[in-house]
Amino acid sequence: MNKSYVLLRMYDGLREGDGIRLTEWCAEYKLSVATFRRYIAFLRGYFIGTTGHEIVYDSVSGLYVLRNKC
């Protein structure tokens, strides 16, 4: 998969409220953990700057999710 496709899929998953689980995404899209974290960091900056939402890690569910900026 190319980077643009994976980033758009991550964007969609976050916006739809599905959340993103590191292990599942790394396995499905053959990403390293470092690459996954770079993509999350990129999306985190994008969401903060454009929508006022932030990506947070929910340790209970093991998901990265969007929440409203407080």
Side-chain angles (χ1 to χ4, degrees), residues 24-47:
E24 291 174 4
W25 280 75
C26 287
E28 183 173 345
Y29 295 104
K30 296 177 179 62
L31 303 173
S32 69
V33 172
T35 297
F36 177 88
R37 290 191 174 135
R38 277 194 303 273
Y39 289 3
I40 287 291
F42 174 82
L43 289 170
R44 185 173 278 135
Y46 174 79
F47 278 113

Side-chain angles (χ1 to χ4, degrees), residues 55-66:
I55 298 174
V56 295
Y57 180 72
D58 179 4
S59 60
V60 173
S61 64
L63 291 172
Y64 289 87
V65 294
L66 272 183

Side-chain angles (χ1 to χ4, degrees), residues 4-42:
S4 299
Y5 178 79
V6 175
L7 281 168
L8 287 171
R9 293 285 297 131
M10 291 173 105
Y11 173 87
D12 286 343
L14 290 165
R15 293 288 293 178
E16 293 170 2
D18 298 334
I20 296 175
R21 185 168 279 117
L22 182 142
T23 54
E24 291 174 4
W25 280 75
C26 287
E28 183 173 345
Y29 295 104
K30 296 177 179 62
L31 303 173
S32 69
V33 172
T35 297
F36 177 88
R37 290 191 174 135
R38 277 194 303 273
Y39 289 3
I40 287 291
F42 174 82

